[in-house]
Amino acid sequence: MSTRRPDPLAQVSDFDIRLLRIFRSVVESGGFSAAESALGIGRSAISQQMSDLEQRLGLRLCQRGRAGFSLTEEGREVYQSSLQLLSALESFRTEVNGLHRHLRGELNIGLTDNLVTLPHMRITHALSHLKERGPDVHINIRMVAPNEVEQGVLDGSLHVGVVPQANALSGLEYQPLYSERSLLYCAVGHPLFYVDDGQLDDTRLAEQEAIAPTFRLPADVQAHYQALRCTASASDREGMAFLILTGRYIGYLPDHYASFWVQQGRLRALKPLSRFYDLSLVTVTRKGRRPHLVLESFLESLAATR
């Protein structure tokens, strides 16, 4: 019973591809000596690597000696096949690189409300850069409360979110973005609106009806609300602004968000040198997420806008 000889080339390795590139250069240069300058290696090294390729393929590829360099019949066929292989590899490299240059797909991003007035505008700049890189990318923005942003990232309906930093949830990754300062405000019509800061002691402030947020906040920030008499609540900063502007409540708002009403004379900050807190905003993504080229491009752009 005859036994079948195993194929000498069960798989093509990186080493094989490197040898085939050398073989192509030798053939196109017309011999070992002529290929030295093209390859930047000596004739003995070329000869050794050609021998390695022949041994790897189990074929005699060329004749070399006093009569000069010439391909065998098998060598001519291997040369033609190597051109097809190397051309396919180059096409693959070009197409993959093209995917990076021409992004396609969607970016679903969840944002805490009222970040657009931040002077940093890092999110705006990153979205602009993403759209420049991928004109066909479809961007979907969902403006929801921070807990809904985190839940959306967890369940996969959102690719990325931006929320105030609080206790980290399992399954999510958080990266610092920037910080915003919040001041304690009241509106025109409130009893404290025209009271000098020097007359506003802690007791008087604690007597006023105030607003508490229902979204998660760090313990040091929560302490600022615990010092107030919170008789109303809001799920986001816009809701807090609505209530403050009634002239019936005091409450904290980001200074960049409140500045529009301050300039109109409708809001004023109460004791801004002492009644404030700084809150970090973070990007949130899901741990162990699948590779997503559009998302990674957005995160890279976001990191580059520091």
Side-chain angles (χ1 to χ4, degrees):
M1 183 177 67
S2 63
T3 58
R4 184 177 180 272
R5 183 171 178 262
D7 293 335
L9 197 64
Q11 62 181 11
V12 178
S13 66
D14 290 343
F15 178 67
D16 297 322
I17 292 172
R18 184 167 66 85
L19 294 179
L20 287 170
R21 292 186 190 280
I22 293 173
F23 174 55
R24 182 183 65 179
S25 293
V26 169
V27 173
E28 292 174 353
S29 299
F32 291 9
S33 297
E36 286 183 280
S37 58
L39 294 171
I41 56 177
R43 180 175 178 177
S44 60
I46 295 173
S47 179
Q48 179 60 54
Q49 292 184 73
M50 286 296 298
S51 296
D52 291 341
L53 179 60
E54 289 180 326
Q55 184 175 1
R56 185 84 174 98
L57 299 178
L59 297 169
R60 183 74 171 172
L61 299 178
C62 60
Q63 303 290 343
R64 57 259 201 194
R66 292 182 179 179
F69 173 84
S70 63
L71 288 176
T72 63
E73 185 62 32
E74 291 82 1
R76 282 190 287 272
E77 292 190 20
V78 168
Y79 172 66
Q80 292 300 323
S81 296
S82 69
L83 291 181
Q84 295 175 22
L85 172 62
L86 296 175
S87 176
L89 288 173
E90 180 60 24
S91 296
F92 174 78
R93 184 189 68 82
T94 300
E95 289 177 10
V96 170
N97 287 340
L99 292 176
H100 286 269
R101 289 193 296 270
H102 305 291
L103 298 174
R104 296 177 180 85
E106 289 188 338
L107 178 70
N108 300 323
I109 177 172
L111 299 179
T112 300
D113 65 316
N114 307 124
L115 296 182
V116 71
T117 52
L118 273 165
H120 311 291
M121 294 187 68
R122 288 183 56 190
I123 298 172
T124 303
H125 294 323
L127 290 173
S128 174
H129 187 252
L130 174 65
K131 194 63 178 173
E132 179 182 355
R133 286 192 59 190
D136 296 327
V137 170
H138 193 89
I139 299 171
N140 304 304
I141 292 182
R142 191 186 304 172
M143 303 297 298
V144 289
N147 61 322
E148 294 181 55
V149 172
E150 290 174 309
Q151 184 56 48
V153 174
L154 276 173
D155 65 28
S157 61
L158 294 174
H159 296 122
V160 61
V162 178
V163 297
Q165 185 174 29
N167 296 328
L169 296 182
S170 176
L172 296 178
E173 293 180 341
Y174 299 84
Q175 293 295 327
L177 189 56
Y178 38 52
S179 179
E180 66 178 10
R181 172 158 294 190
S182 289
L183 303 177
L184 184 61
Y185 291 95
C186 73
V188 63
H190 191 277
L192 300 185
F193 190 80
Y194 293 109
V195 178
D196 186 84
D197 277 342
Q199 300 176 25
L200 296 177
D201 56 23
D202 291 345
T203 300
R204 193 166 185 183
L205 290 174
E207 293 172 349
Q208 310 303 314
E209 290 194 80
I211 310 152
T214 58
F215 49 87
R216 295 185 311 115
L217 290 170
D220 60 331
V221 172
Q222 291 176 11
H224 288 270
Y225 292 95
Q226 291 167 358
L228 301 175
R229 185 167 71 95
C230 294
T231 60
S233 64
S235 63
D236 51 51
R237 283 94 68 88
E238 186 171 2
M240 298 179 77
F242 265 114
L243 289 173
I244 294 170
L245 287 166
T246 65
R248 303 292 181 176
Y249 300 91
I250 63 174
Y252 285 95
L253 290 175
D255 57 2
H256 62 86
Y257 178 46
S259 64
F260 172 76
W261 293 294
V262 171
Q263 292 170 11
Q264 288 188 331
R266 297 179 62 190
L267 286 183
R268 66 159 285 197
L270 302 169
K271 305 193 73 170
L273 297 181
S274 59
R275 290 294 182 132
F276 70 87
Y277 62 80
D278 294 320
L279 181 64
S280 294
L281 293 160
V282 295
T283 57
V284 54
T285 53
R286 187 171 56 182
K287 289 181 180 177
R289 62 185 183 274
R290 293 180 178 179
H292 189 282
L293 195 56
V294 172
L295 171 59
E296 302 311 321
S297 179
F298 172 71
L299 294 176
E300 289 172 8
S301 298
L302 203 56
T305 60
R306 294 185 188 280

